[in-house]
Amino acid sequence: MNSSMLPFQFGSPFSTGSAALKQLKRMGILLHLLNFEGKKIDCELLARHQFTHIHLKPDLIRQAIPGSPCEKKLIALKTLINQHEAICVAGPIRLMHDKQVAERHLIECYFGPHIMPAMTFNQIMKVGKSKHHQSAIKQLIEQEVKQR
């Protein structure tokens, strides 16, 4: 890549980290803070720069069981993010629990492959007749019999 195409050069006034971030923002590049978990360095970055999106660390969402210290931390971090007028992002969401936590705490944006809820007996019957599907049907029938 031709170095003259870069928006800032090494040795120029924009070579420092803070100045480079300001230059990128002027160019219209949005700043995202990734894996935010409220550590000292995260809070210092948040105080020094105006981030548009702050991505929460995925473990915070996963461990946010109602009433747990992790949920209290999530609430405090969400409040801090709102004070800095940034958008809170959670992801990748892989479990329905994670999605419910994101919705319960009014997280503005979340992404990821959501796991579908369990299939009903009628849905499985319509899936197909392969060996894999037949074993799934047998397991569902056994579960239905045990529940009765």
Side-chain angles (χ1 to χ4, degrees):
M1 179 174 190
N2 186 353
S3 63
S4 64
M5 296 174 62
L6 295 174
F8 45 87
Q9 302 285 323
F10 290 107
S12 74
F14 299 113
S15 63
T16 63
S18 182
L21 287 175
K22 287 178 185 176
Q23 178 68 13
L24 289 172
K25 187 175 178 194
R26 278 190 226 121
M27 292 171 47
I29 296 174
L30 303 177
L31 298 179
H32 290 233
L33 180 59
L34 303 177
N35 290 328
F36 183 72
E37 60 179 330
K39 289 185 177 179
K40 184 179 179 181
I41 192 159
D42 293 340
C43 293
E44 287 174 2
L45 282 170
L46 188 60
R48 274 192 258 145
H49 306 288
Q50 186 177 358
F51 291 97
T52 57
H53 296 76
I54 298 173
H55 297 252
L56 295 172
K57 192 166 184 176
D59 297 343
L60 289 173
I61 302 295
R62 179 76 39 87
Q63 298 170 359
I65 298 168
S68 70
C70 194
E71 184 187 41
K72 293 174 185 172
K73 181 178 181 179
L74 178 64
I75 292 168
L77 292 177
K78 178 77 170 90
T79 304
L80 182 66
I81 291 168
N82 288 341
Q83 289 173 352
H84 285 85
E85 298 177 357
I87 295 173
C88 186
V89 181
I93 301 284
R94 291 189 179 98
L95 301 174
M96 289 301 291
H97 163 76
D98 298 350
K99 182 180 178 198
Q100 291 168 351
V101 168
E103 289 173 347
R104 184 175 346 131
H105 292 288
L106 304 175
I107 294 177
E108 291 93 348
C109 181
Y110 54 88
F111 64 93
H114 303 121
I115 293 182
M116 294 176 55
M119 296 177 75
T120 65
F121 180 73
N122 291 334
Q123 288 172 328
I124 290 178
M125 291 299 287
K126 292 179 182 179
V127 169
K129 301 204 185 244
S130 70
K131 291 181 182 180
H132 178 70
H133 295 139
Q134 288 176 357
S135 66
I137 291 170
K138 288 178 185 177
Q139 288 177 353
L140 186 61
I141 291 171
E142 290 172 2
Q143 288 176 359
E144 290 286 327
V145 170
K146 288 179 183 177
Q147 290 177 358
R148 292 180 188 181

